[in-house]
Amino acid sequence: MANYLTSSRVNISLLQENAAKDLIYLLDKCDGPKVIILDEGLTRPIGLIATYSLLREHDVKEVFILNTGKLSNFREKVKNVIFITRPFLTHMDMICDNIHKYVISLQPNYDLENQDDLKQREYHLFFVPTRSLLCEKRLERKGVLGNFVLIEEFCCFLFPLENDLMSMEMNDCYKELSLENDPTCLYRVAQAIVSLEDLYGRIGRITGKGPVVKQVWDLVSKISLEPRKPSSKANRNYKTIDHLVLIDRSVDLMTPMATQLTFEGLIDELFGIDCCTVELPANKFVSEEDNANTLTCKKLVLNSNDEIFAETRNKHFNAVLMNLSKRAKHITSEYDENRSGKTVQEMKQLVSKLPYMLALKKQLSTYTTVAELIKELTDKTSFRDLINVQQELILGIESDKVLPQIEDLISNKCDLITVLRLICMQSAVNSGLKQKTLEYYKREIIQVYGFKHLITMTHLENAGLIKIQANSRSYAVCRRLLNLDVYEMSEVDPDDINYVYGIYAPLSVRLIQHISKSDSKILSDVLPLLPGPIVEHVNPDVDQGILFIYFNSDGL
């Protein structure tokens, strides 16, 4: 298992090991050589808990992506074909298509060399994280349910991203709740919390705020009454986690709209990070021995396993290049100093350090290239203008009317997501938009980007990301009480969280800061201004532990 997951006060590698053990247990139920057909959205999450070498040890010959059409031709003879997928009806249709094409290939007149091998195949289906009766009904209706020898569930609710970060990888959670009125994700969040208690023991204190937080905690309380596994640490007075903070995303709609300005944050903003992996233009990383024509993208795994990335990931981008330059000089001087040694013992020490120093040098080269890629984009006038608009909105400068900067972006047909984020940000800082302002934005977007985006704007309203302005200005009061806009900051040596967004300190982070300090005066003034009920629960039988965990309705 990954060593970097053990470097925190809470051993996150336990989560990885437990999930890998459950997956291997399911795979070993299918005796003989096997092929995995994996839901594309699970490829990277599953990769966080089980390496390909581990799968090979348990007779997995190949891994394919689930698609429509006929199953791929396997390089080796296999007995078991295992589908691992989330419980989505579209994925059931793909599986049905795969199996129907397989049945056609077994017809007497079908030209196929290995029909005997195909007839011996057994099909299995593993749902992640839970089985779905609706999906099984779809399989039954299409006549393929009887083809499966095993239908199981791989109950993995949390995927370990870092030594202090886990994710449920439920990207559509907010949409399901706000637009589709589907509360399934809440039950899964509750199951994830219970699974944490099974691994790390009872949580000492639970604090929550938001419209759905009470529903989640009620579900946790009900699930906790069910019998636990004999190995569950929740059965004992075991301590690891002191405090769990549950915050509904609707409490803080501002933060995800602002642009992150840290090194890792800008990588995510500009290129997109998916389960600690980012894809970058390969031509920027091609060395002399590489063939540039064979590479289309460069995949980087971003975690604290890389020493250079661990040092720079949370720094403001303006401090990153300076930090990388200092590190390069340090490595060069250390190498030259060691090289100058003349004794056998000194040469021996140099040889022992050489692999480590070469690895650092390679990391340094990689992340310097990444920083240069980011700098090319952030140096553009359009990016600087975007940051200026966001900072003016955060400070509330003439933010209650139609903004000419947003008008210009729309008229130039700039990226629609960028435009919508600014409009949602304007709605958040003003506790809504004036009716006239909202109608103007709608009309302009429909005329420039097409009538189909009338539905987009309607969805944003239904989700609460854009709304008509109310009489109360709750955000303005929260901004003052929680000190959300901080004018003075140091990008190189920051002492406040606001450096992440320039001058904005995330509301959810400020809440956690005050909750951790038990600052009842500020909380009593602020919490009533935010949507939803307050949840407060203390387990008296649990000793104080050492960790804060933050959940929100994005499944993080």
Side-chain angles (χ1 to χ4, degrees):
M1 296 294 119
N3 292 330
Y4 67 91
L5 294 177
T6 63
S7 58
S8 180
R9 289 180 294 178
V10 171
N11 186 2
I12 301 298
S13 68
L14 285 178
L15 189 70
Q16 185 186 46
E17 291 168 4
N18 189 66
K21 183 176 69 175
D22 290 347
L23 178 60
I24 295 306
Y25 173 75
L26 292 175
L27 292 177
D28 287 345
K29 281 188 172 184
C30 310
D31 188 38
K34 49 191 77 81
V35 161
I36 292 176
I37 313 294
L38 194 60
D39 163 9
E40 186 172 10
L42 287 175
T43 50
R44 285 176 178 164
I46 294 293
L48 292 171
I49 59 175
T51 61
Y52 187 65
S53 58
L54 178 63
L55 297 177
R56 291 285 293 180
E57 290 174 12
H58 293 268
D59 227 358
V60 175
K61 302 302 180 184
E62 294 178 271
V63 179
F64 294 94
I65 302 299
L66 177 62
N67 285 305
T68 55
K70 180 187 170 185
L71 290 174
S72 302
N73 293 322
F74 308 142
R75 288 177 297 199
E76 300 183 46
K77 293 181 181 180
V78 293
K79 177 184 176 184
N80 303 286
V81 177
I82 303 171
F83 294 95
I84 302 180
T85 177
R86 292 166 293 174
F88 295 158
L89 292 178
T90 52
H91 293 169
M92 299 305 107
D93 293 336
M94 291 182 191
I95 292 171
C96 292
D97 194 40
N98 287 173
I99 294 178
H100 282 314
K101 294 286 174 62
Y102 156 75
V103 172
I104 291 173
S105 69
L106 293 180
Q107 298 301 318
N109 297 327
Y110 194 86
D111 184 18
L112 192 66
E113 295 180 0
N114 300 318
Q115 280 203 7
D116 290 340
D117 293 333
L118 290 175
K119 289 177 181 177
Q120 295 175 2
R121 283 186 187 166
E122 295 180 353
Y123 289 89
H124 314 276
L125 176 59
F126 300 162
F127 284 109
V128 182
T130 53
R131 292 176 70 160
S132 165
L133 179 61
L134 189 61
C135 288
E136 291 184 43
K137 287 291 183 183
R138 175 65 68 93
L139 295 174
E140 183 180 15
R141 196 178 308 120
K142 295 212 170 189
V144 300
L145 187 63
N147 292 77
F148 292 103
V149 176
L150 279 177
I151 297 180
E152 300 279 354
E153 56 185 17
F154 174 39
C155 300
C156 184
F157 298 102
L158 291 163
F159 297 93
L161 300 182
E162 263 296 346
N163 56 29
D164 57 357
L165 180 63
M166 300 167 281
S167 171
M168 293 188 68
E169 291 303 301
M170 296 196 306
N171 299 328
D172 296 328
C173 183
Y174 192 81
K175 183 188 77 171
E176 291 169 3
L177 277 171
S178 58
L179 297 182
E180 300 170 6
N181 295 317
D182 181 1
T184 306
C185 59
L186 301 184
Y187 184 67
R188 290 179 184 163
V189 171
Q191 288 176 299
I193 295 171
V194 172
S195 71
L196 275 179
E197 288 195 322
D198 286 337
L199 275 176
Y200 299 107
R202 293 278 186 186
I203 298 169
R205 179 185 169 199
I206 294 88
T207 305
K209 176 66 177 177
V212 300
V213 164
K214 190 172 188 311
Q215 297 178 53
V216 169
W217 182 244
D218 288 343
L219 288 168
V220 170
S221 302
K222 290 178 181 178
I223 297 172
S224 297
L225 296 176
E226 299 173 2
R228 303 282 184 119
K229 297 177 183 177
S231 60
S232 172
K233 292 180 181 177
N235 293 329
R236 291 164 273 164
N237 187 19
Y238 193 88
K239 60 176 183 180
T240 304
I241 300 172
D242 173 38
H243 202 158
L244 171 67
V245 181
L246 294 161
I247 300 182
D248 187 342
R249 169 50 66 201
S250 62
V251 169
D252 180 15
L253 293 173
M254 173 73 171
T255 300
M257 303 305 163
T259 300
Q260 306 167 72
L261 298 177
T262 60
F263 186 38
E264 185 175 17
L266 280 170
I267 294 174
D268 189 30
E269 291 280 353
L270 300 174
F271 301 104
I273 299 175
D274 181 14
C275 287
C276 301
T277 303
V278 64
E279 295 184 1
L280 300 166
N283 60 310
K284 300 291 184 179
F285 297 87
V286 175
S287 59
E288 293 179 0
E289 56 271 13
D290 292 328
N291 184 356
N293 296 324
T294 62
L295 299 171
T296 57
C297 68
K298 169 81 170 178
K299 290 185 179 180
L300 283 182
V301 177
L302 305 173
N303 57 45
S304 53
N305 203 35
D306 281 4
E307 186 177 325
I308 300 295
F309 183 69
E311 287 179 6
T312 55
R313 65 189 305 173
N314 295 322
K315 291 186 178 296
H316 193 284
F317 183 69
N318 289 341
V320 168
L321 286 173
M322 182 175 63
N323 181 268
L324 292 174
S325 176
K326 283 182 179 178
R327 195 62 197 268
K329 290 176 182 177
H330 176 73
I331 293 172
T332 302
S333 63
E334 187 177 357
Y335 179 75
D336 292 340
E337 183 181 338
N338 287 325
R339 226 175 106 187
S340 63
K342 296 179 181 179
T343 68
V344 174
Q345 187 63 30
E346 287 172 335
M347 292 302 293
K348 189 176 180 180
Q349 288 177 356
L350 172 62
V351 171
S352 65
K353 286 183 179 179
L354 205 54
Y356 168 72
M357 295 176 69
L358 290 174
L360 276 186
K361 187 178 178 182
K362 185 177 180 181
Q363 290 176 24
L364 195 63
S365 173
T366 297
Y367 293 115
T368 300
T369 304
V370 175
E372 289 170 351
L373 274 172
I374 292 173
K375 194 171 187 304
E376 286 178 15
L377 298 173
T378 56
D379 281 348
K380 292 182 178 179
T381 304
S382 57
F383 183 84
R384 292 199 299 270
D385 290 344
L386 174 64
I387 299 302
N388 288 336
V389 176
Q390 290 185 1
Q391 292 187 349
E392 287 180 5
L393 284 171
I394 290 165
L395 296 172
I397 299 174
E398 297 184 345
S399 59
D400 60 345
K401 61 182 182 180
V402 173
L403 297 181
Q405 298 95 326
I406 295 179
E407 283 185 290
D408 291 342
L409 289 172
I410 295 173
S411 62
N412 292 322
K413 207 171 183 179
C414 293
D415 176 49
L416 180 60
I417 298 298
T418 301
V419 173
L420 293 177
R421 281 176 69 170
L422 286 174
I423 295 174
C424 291
M425 198 172 181
Q426 186 179 0
S427 177
V429 299
N430 291 289
S431 301
L433 298 173
K434 292 179 180 177
Q435 181 76 45
K436 186 178 178 181
T437 303
L438 178 56
E439 293 301 324
Y440 177 83
Y441 284 144
K442 279 185 184 179
R443 185 169 61 252
E444 291 297 302
I445 286 172
I446 290 167
Q447 288 177 351
V448 174
Y449 296 96
F451 282 95
K452 59 183 179 291
H453 290 295
L454 177 61
I455 298 175
T456 304
M457 298 299 289
T458 303
H459 284 339
L460 290 173
E461 287 187 79
N462 291 339
L465 294 169
I466 296 175
K467 61 183 180 180
I468 300 297
Q469 194 175 74
N471 292 329
S472 63
R473 294 295 186 92
S474 58
Y475 180 83
V477 179
C478 290
R479 183 173 63 195
R480 177 175 55 81
L481 293 175
L482 295 176
N483 196 24
L484 300 183
D485 49 353
V486 182
Y487 294 90
E488 297 180 3
M489 69 161 189
S490 170
E491 295 175 347
V492 178
D493 188 22
D495 57 3
D496 189 84
I497 192 65
N498 71 301
Y499 83 97
V500 173
Y501 291 96
I503 61 172
Y504 169 66
L507 189 151
S508 48
V509 175
R510 282 286 196 253
L511 281 180
I512 293 176
Q513 287 177 336
H514 287 288
I515 289 170
S516 65
K517 297 173 184 175
S518 299
D519 193 343
S520 57
K521 184 180 186 308
I522 292 291
L523 292 175
S524 63
D525 291 336
V526 170
L527 290 180
L529 300 173
L530 301 173
I534 301 169
V535 170
E536 186 69 42
H537 178 80
V538 177
N539 282 324
D541 298 330
V542 180
D543 296 331
Q544 182 171 330
I546 53 175
L547 177 70
F548 263 90
I549 291 185
Y550 165 45
F551 268 78
N552 64 37
S553 61
D554 296 326
L556 295 178

